[in-house]
Amino acid sequence: MVRKLETETTGTTPVDYGRRHFIGTATLAATAAGLGLGMGRAQAAEPPAARPMAGSSSPTGFKSLKQIDAGPLNIGYAEDGPADGSVVLLLHGWPYDIHSYVEVAPILAAAGYRVIIPHLRGYGTTRFLSAETPRNGQQAAIAADMISLMDALKIQTAILAGYDWGARTANIMAALWPERCKAMVSVSGYLIGSQDLNRAPLPPKAELQWWYQYYFATDRGRAGYAKYTHDFARLIWQLASPNWAFDDATFERSAASLDNPDHVDISIHNYRWRLGLAEGEAQYDAVERALAAFPTIKVPTITMEGDANGAPHPSPETYRAKFSGRYEHRLITGGIGHNLPQEAPKAFAQAVLDIGKA
């Protein structure tokens, strides 16, 4: 079933929605005028019972797993598709891993794309080259990693696609390095944030959704995440995707990536940095200043949302005007939660294919 979604920009005050750093519509109204951008739509995904589970004919792994030195890291990544194809860079979120794209990658590869799916810092086989490098999870560092990866692989431009931390990383790359981004697919829209914006308190119900962020701000929380990493991740998966009936094998494939020796440090620093409780690195100060201005994204973009996303997320109208190029929003129905590419791989892959034609 496909139905039209109407989007609008209204004159309300700026909002940091659930600390995913969405900009309020008052800030956006001026940029929205006169852009002539496209309307959104709802798109029916496979109903939960019809989506293949691990152990069925759906893929459970990748054809090729590789390593490469890039910036401060030796990055582990999966690759599929022809080596001379146009590149799609698929970016995962927390606490997930590259297996979010295990069914998306073959679809894109079959369409002729070279698909690169990296483990972010602190995940899987990605490692720091030096023990002296700070285990920094701030948004600018992760985006810089992906630019370094593209440089190392001699990729000049790519379609960027992601959710959660991966969507934020894609947003930053598209906003600050548009020459490296052909087009973008972003779950939950515009996720660029700043420490200054995070200083404003939220209504109690919104703060409640971020219980783990406050837990991570304590020594007890860090110790708890270190001791119960897999249990914690499983709980987040369940809360963020209440209708996704993932099995143990599906979870454990991704949870193994959380055993990375830097995962806890990166995760804790990321959430503490957002609240201004941890310092970033000076080398990223200029990038963070640019991001604090909440730059408009000009590359062709499709934003997406699942109709059963249990994680904090905004209404599309709160970020609509942050996209000034070709734009569309898609609501994916059928009980789809936060990990949209793994829960609705066909819909996600189709969005990449569609925006690639821009």
Side-chain angles (χ1 to χ4, degrees), residues 93-110:
W94 174 91
Y96 305 90
D97 85 328
I98 62 175
H99 288 88
S100 292
Y101 298 105
V102 73
E103 293 184 61
V104 173
I107 298 173
L108 300 179

Side-chain angles (χ1 to χ4, degrees), residues 26-358:
T27 308
L28 308 183
T31 59
L35 295 177
L37 302 175
M39 299 297 289
R41 66 178 180 176
Q43 189 175 87
E46 309 97 314
R51 296 201 298 272
M53 299 297 296
S56 72
S57 59
S58 61
T60 59
F62 295 98
K63 291 182 178 180
S64 178
L65 296 172
K66 302 179 179 180
Q67 300 287 139
I68 192 168
D69 287 351
L73 302 171
N74 178 263
I75 295 178
Y77 64 100
E79 182 169 352
D80 200 352
D84 61 350
S86 296
V87 178
V88 178
L89 187 64
L90 301 176
L91 303 173
H92 69 82
W94 174 91
Y96 305 90
D97 85 328
I98 62 175
H99 288 88
S100 292
Y101 298 105
V102 73
E103 293 184 61
V104 173
I107 298 173
L108 300 179
Y113 282 101
R114 180 187 179 191
V115 186
I116 306 293
I117 315 160
H119 282 293
L120 302 185
R121 55 169 61 192
Y123 294 82
T125 58
T126 293
R127 297 290 189 274
F128 285 89
L129 295 173
S130 171
E132 304 304 315
T133 304
R135 273 39 178 176
N136 175 2
Q138 74 182 102
Q139 59 180 359
I142 299 171
D145 290 344
M146 295 301 102
I147 294 295
S148 294
L149 175 63
M150 291 178 67
D151 289 344
L153 292 173
K154 297 180 171 55
I155 296 169
Q156 180 57 39
T157 186
I159 297 173
L160 309 177
Y163 69 100
D164 196 81
W165 288 22
R168 179 178 297 109
T169 301
N171 289 177
I172 294 169
M173 295 168 70
L176 300 187
W177 295 280
E179 71 281 2
R180 311 302 297 272
C181 180
K182 178 183 177 183
M184 181 174 65
V185 173
S186 178
V187 177
S188 296
Y190 188 91
L191 303 179
I192 294 171
S194 77
Q195 289 179 318
D196 285 343
L197 191 60
N198 269 341
R199 291 191 175 97
L202 300 171
K205 286 185 179 180
E207 298 283 18
L208 178 62
Q209 290 185 296
W210 288 98
W211 61 272
Y212 57 89
Q213 183 167 251
Y214 300 109
Y215 181 62
F216 287 169
T218 69
D219 290 341
R220 177 187 175 96
R222 189 199 183 286
Y225 189 57
K227 183 175 182 180
Y228 300 109
T229 307
H230 286 209
D231 292 340
F232 203 101
R234 184 185 288 271
L235 176 60
I236 295 296
W237 282 35
Q238 292 167 341
L239 293 174
S241 299
N243 296 330
W244 183 27
F246 60 87
D247 60 16
D248 288 345
T250 298
F251 173 75
E252 291 301 335
R253 269 190 295 274
S254 289
S257 293
L258 311 183
D259 294 333
N260 181 293
D262 302 306
H263 177 75
V264 172
D265 287 340
I266 295 294
S267 299
I268 297 300
H269 184 270
N270 178 283
Y271 288 102
R272 290 184 179 181
W273 179 87
R274 297 189 200 191
L275 294 179
L277 301 176
E279 296 293 328
E281 290 180 80
Q283 64 179 307
Y284 302 117
D285 285 351
V287 174
E288 294 295 352
R289 284 193 296 271
L291 296 175
F294 305 108
T296 299
I297 293 173
K298 300 177 181 179
V299 305
T301 298
I302 292 175
T303 59
M304 307 183 76
E305 194 61 80
D307 65 340
N309 185 357
H313 62 281
S315 298
E317 63 268 18
T318 64
Y319 53 74
R320 169 64 184 84
K322 296 309 291 180
F323 300 96
S324 63
R326 175 188 165 189
Y327 177 80
E328 182 184 345
H329 179 76
R330 296 181 181 181
L331 175 67
I332 310 303
T333 63
I336 305 303
H338 188 57
N339 184 1
L340 194 152
Q342 196 164 4
E343 297 176 60
K346 292 179 182 178
F348 190 90
Q350 189 61 54
V352 175
L353 295 174
D354 291 344
I355 204 63
K357 299 173 185 177

